[in-house]
Amino acid sequence: MRNSEGLNLNDVMNEIEKWVELTAAYQREALQHQQLQVQTKAYDTDFVTDVDLKSEEILIKCIHETYPEHSILTEERGMLDRQSDYLWVIDPIDGTTNFIHGFPMSSISIALQVKGVTQAGMVYSPWLAMKFYATKGKGAYLNGKRITVSQTSELRISLLATGFPGAGSREHINLVYFSHMISKVSGIRRTGSAALDLCFVAASYFDGYWEFDLNDWDICAGALIAEEAGGRLLQTQVGQHSLTICCNGQMLETLQRSLLESQEI
Ligand code: 2AM
Ligand code: CA
């Protein structure tokens, strides 16, 4: 299976799987046997651990060994630019706060973009033993089984997910949206890993998801997986904030309308 640039996406996915398993094994070992070293970044609740950094190092080394000319964008190290059409987008731990607390809801997220289009992605939870992956045009899978989004078209009976990134800001824009939406749906969950939230929409556990101000590395792989599972992804701007919405096609318009009503409250 070759994409327009002649790369075999089956081979790419086999490589990704090896790299991610290696990283997951390291994370399991580290959480069991190691004293975590936690540092803060932009503010006092924006955390990074030595395990984030080492996981990133493992993934970068694997990519450089296999595809030395490719560029890499990572959460902790930024852009490692090789002036290539190929860009790997990596979040070594999506859900770092959960990871620090031992709450088993974090993931390794890795995607390959070719000329700006995501061609392959994997989101792997070392704790749930869930491996979500997709290649463009070939569907989405969870541990070898094809997954598809839910068919729920009614918001009233839907289970949604959201998140509150950047909790350093006490007045979070999403609180208004959350309180508006909570009475309109069956329930709203907040896992703390945007990558897993998108995959949970892909697997139809959630009917829809929204979140503000996410970064490329949070959503690159999960967005492909959700879209390949039949989901729709919308990214829009609300004032200074970017809003990501993901759900099945039947619900997109209703969910978007309902979310945007929140601004009028
Ligand atoms: P992280 O754990 O890799 O930082 C939780 O709602 C989601 O928001 C997670 O995907 C989390 O990714 C992300 N997140 C946490 N803090 C953030 C910040 N300061 N800016 C943007 N995204 C953030
Ligand atoms: Ca991260």
Side-chain angles (χ1 to χ4, degrees):
M1 187 203 334
R2 289 179 187 278
N3 77 353
S4 55
E5 305 302 313
L7 201 71
N8 185 313
L9 292 178
N10 283 334
D11 292 347
V12 168
M13 195 49 80
N14 288 337
E15 292 294 337
I16 294 176
E17 194 168 5
K18 280 192 278 177
W19 306 339
V20 163
E21 299 233 346
L22 194 68
T23 314
Y26 161 67
Q27 290 184 3
R28 286 194 198 97
E29 176 74 18
L31 204 60
Q32 254 196 323
H33 299 294
Q34 209 175 292
Q35 181 75 32
L36 282 184
Q37 289 166 31
V38 183
Q39 294 164 23
T40 53
K41 297 195 281 184
Y43 45 83
D44 64 351
T45 54
D46 188 10
F47 300 114
V48 61
T49 72
D50 55 327
V51 181
D52 294 65
L53 294 168
K54 176 73 184 169
S55 299
E56 205 172 87
E57 202 179 301
I58 294 170
L59 291 166
I60 290 170
K61 185 165 178 281
C62 289
I63 294 170
H64 276 161
E65 276 172 11
T66 316
Y67 303 111
E69 295 98 39
H70 291 190
S71 299
I72 308 175
L73 173 67
T74 71
E75 172 163 18
E76 311 303 341
R77 286 172 177 80
M79 181 65 98
L80 308 172
D81 196 355
R82 300 266 159 109
Q83 303 281 308
S84 168
D85 287 342
Y86 296 89
L87 175 66
W88 291 89
V89 184
I90 295 175
D91 191 347
I93 302 184
D94 186 59
T96 297
T97 305
N98 289 343
F99 178 76
I100 291 168
H101 287 261
F103 179 55
M105 199 58 77
S106 70
S107 57
I108 301 161
S109 174
I110 176 165
L112 174 65
Q113 292 188 336
V114 184
K115 293 186 177 171
V117 179
T118 310
Q119 296 287 343
M122 182 174 282
V123 173
Y124 182 42
S125 161
W127 327 111
L128 307 174
M130 283 178 151
K131 194 182 293 169
F132 296 92
Y133 52 98
T135 47
K136 194 161 178 61
K138 300 290 172 192
Y141 293 83
L142 163 58
N143 295 347
K145 284 203 176 133
R146 187 89 185 240
I147 48 173
T148 53
V149 291
S150 78
Q151 297 301 309
T152 312
S153 57
E154 260 186 85
L155 206 53
R156 183 83 208 116
I157 56 164
S158 70
L159 181 63
L160 303 186
T162 189
F164 297 83
S169 149
R170 296 292 167 224
E171 288 172 38
H172 203 291
I173 181 177
N174 202 18
L175 288 175
V176 176
Y177 286 69
F178 186 86
S179 49
H180 175 65
M181 294 304 294
I182 191 71
S183 58
K184 297 198 168 301
V185 298
S186 148
I188 303 178
R189 302 290 179 258
R190 189 265 198 262
T191 72
S193 166
L196 281 176
D197 287 334
L198 289 165
C199 293
F200 292 164
V201 172
S204 82
Y205 305 155
F206 297 145
D207 301 298
Y209 162 73
W210 85 91
E211 189 157 346
F212 287 93
D213 298 329
L214 293 169
N215 296 294
D216 284 352
W217 48 78
D218 297 319
I219 56 173
C220 196
L224 177 69
I225 292 162
E227 286 180 328
E228 286 297 323
R232 299 278 306 279
L233 190 96
L234 185 84
Q235 292 191 281
T236 182
Q237 201 66 26
V238 179
Q240 291 180 325
H241 300 276
S242 67
L243 169 61
T244 302
I245 303 173
C246 182
C247 63
N248 70 47
Q250 292 93 301
M251 203 189 272
L252 184 65
E253 224 182 282
T254 325
L255 177 57
Q256 186 186 3
R257 197 174 340 107
S258 247
L259 281 167
L260 295 180
E261 276 168 16
S262 311
Q263 296 169 68
E264 290 150 22
I265 294 164

